[in-house]
Amino acid sequence: MKDRKALVVGIDYYETFNSLNGCVTDAQSVARVLSRHANGDVNFKAPRILLGQGKYGPIRRKELRDSIEKLFSGEPEIALLYFAGHGYIDAAGGFLCPSDCRDGDDGIPLDEVMKFARKSKAANKIIILDSCHGGIAGNREKGSGIAELDHGVTLLTASTEEQYAHEGGNGAPGVFTNLMVDALEGAAANLVGDITPGSVYAHIDQSLGPWGGQRPVFKTNVESFVSLRKVDPPIPLSALHQLPILFPTPDHKIQLDPSFEPERSEEQKADPTLPKPDPTNNAIFEVLQNYTKVNLSRPVGAKHMWHAVMTRKYCELTVLGKHYWRLVKDDLI
């Protein structure tokens, strides 16, 4: 696998602008969660971290620009830029503001960042902006609402081009980044444990709700999403691979009966009409229960799987279950 490169920037200190609170904390959280997968394996190897914490450690324009240019050099699998700090917008477009920014338009033009990404040979260029007006990134021009992204580029921003991004205050994580880290830690994982830019956006957008005060923006031009991080899947892969075995077709229904349930009360043990637990059926029932927990299957005509077993009902795949059935059947997972 090719290398994964990440540049993580958090700027609280500004020489002229109002200083911020929480951007440094945000950047540290993002770098931590990106550096390794949930099992401890290296993910983004040694992300470069730029932290503007005070007057003795500002992030100046040249350092920020040079770092962004270097990020998009080479041919890594992923080149990921995360920026938390002031953003600025005027008629010419949007800007990322380093610590020595004086009036906004002397910052790093987002058009310039996009040019670095456009010329990059990285397979996946991912730009994440937790800054005001970040939604303008990738647009043809201010106010057009028309994005022009080269192949392999994905943009995720905390707010639209006209909105401000809410910071946490007092060093607390910002709203957007807090949700993003939550997503990367597993809240946005699919059933095989992969977390993609699309699933991160979906988690943030859903969590903010219709009254969040800011709307995240997602733009992409990719054929398929790359996995940003892997976590422990909610169900073993071996169990997913049993889907086409237990369900010969997506619409197949499994007839259940009390022999699937391994436990018996004393009263049930004394009931001669109940079949004894069958070890083979018990093993199948355990898998079906795991499916039901992650919405792959459901009991038919009963509230819970136990009731379905004891009343001889059926178990069927959900829409999600049928989707994963096809993925397994087609050797896609």
Side-chain angles (χ1 to χ4, degrees), residues 7 29 31 69 156 167 182 185 241 254 260 277 279 289 329:
L7 172 62
S29 297
E69 183 177 16
L156 177 58
E167 56 177 322
D182 183 43
E185 287 182 334
H241 286 164
I254 297 176
F260 283 80
Q289 286 180 308
K329 192 71 172 178

Side-chain angles (χ1 to χ4, degrees), residues 12-295:
D12 283 340
Y13 173 73
Y14 284 88
E15 295 174 351
T16 302
F17 288 0
N18 291 333
S19 289
L20 300 172
N21 291 291
C23 293
V24 167
T25 300
D26 286 345
Q28 291 171 327
S29 297
V30 170
R32 172 189 58 78
V33 75
L34 285 178
S35 63
R36 292 184 180 273
H37 297 292
N39 67 359
D41 289 348
V42 173
N43 185 17
F44 286 82
K45 186 177 181 179
R48 182 167 190 197
I49 308 173
L50 300 180
L51 302 177
Q53 296 178 282
K55 63 180 181 179
Y56 298 110
I59 303 301
R60 302 199 178 278
R61 187 185 191 281
K62 178 172 175 50
E63 180 182 15
L64 179 57
R65 186 185 185 279
D66 289 349
S67 297
I68 294 173
E69 183 177 16
K70 187 174 181 180
L71 167 70
F72 290 112
S73 65
E75 299 183 29
E77 179 194 18
I78 300 176
L80 184 150
L81 169 64
Y82 168 86
F83 177 87
H86 274 304
Y88 180 79
I89 189 173
D90 65 11
F95 301 82
L96 301 181
C97 300
S99 297
D100 57 351
C101 202
R102 292 186 174 276
D103 52 19
D105 60 7
D106 58 342
I108 310 294
L110 284 171
D111 283 347
E112 199 168 283
V113 175
M114 298 306 298
K115 287 179 182 178
F116 286 139
R118 184 179 306 121
K119 295 179 180 180
S120 175
K121 294 182 180 179
N124 297 275
K125 286 79 69 172
I126 300 172
I127 300 170
I128 303 173
L129 305 178
D130 192 352
S131 56
C132 298
H133 315 297
I136 194 176
N139 283 0
R140 180 182 299 174
E141 60 184 33
K142 183 178 183 294
S144 70
I146 301 174
E148 292 183 337
L149 299 183
D150 286 79
H151 184 263
V153 176
T154 296
L155 292 170
L156 177 58
T157 68
S159 57
T160 69
E161 91 175 51
E162 299 298 336
Q163 290 178 327
Y164 294 93
H166 299 305
E167 56 177 322
N170 298 319
V175 175
F176 171 83
T177 294
N178 188 47
L179 289 172
M180 186 180 82
V181 170
D182 183 43
L184 289 169
E185 287 182 334
N190 62 16
L191 292 186
V192 294
D194 286 320
I195 301 165
T196 69
S199 66
V200 170
Y201 166 75
H203 174 76
I204 296 171
D205 184 62
Q206 184 177 33
S207 299
L208 285 174
W211 306 103
Q214 70 183 70
R215 300 309 313 165
V217 175
F218 184 72
K219 309 171 189 177
T220 190
N221 181 5
V222 297
E223 293 178 0
S224 61
F225 284 130
V226 68
S227 176
L228 291 178
R229 189 170 186 262
K230 286 192 70 71
V231 298
D232 295 331
I235 183 171
L237 188 60
S238 59
L240 283 179
H241 286 164
Q242 292 185 60
L243 276 168
I245 299 173
L246 297 178
F247 296 87
T249 69
D251 296 319
H252 179 76
K253 293 181 174 59
I254 297 176
Q255 172 72 68
L256 302 174
D257 62 61
S259 70
F260 283 80
E261 173 55 59
E263 298 182 4
R264 293 286 190 277
S265 66
E266 291 301 321
E267 181 181 355
Q268 290 169 337
K269 290 178 182 178
D271 187 346
T273 65
L274 288 179
K276 293 181 179 180
D278 179 89
T280 300
N281 286 346
N282 296 160
I284 292 173
F285 189 52
E286 183 177 358
V287 175
L288 293 177
Q289 286 180 308
N290 284 331
Y291 288 167
T292 302
K293 289 177 182 177
V294 294
N295 194 34

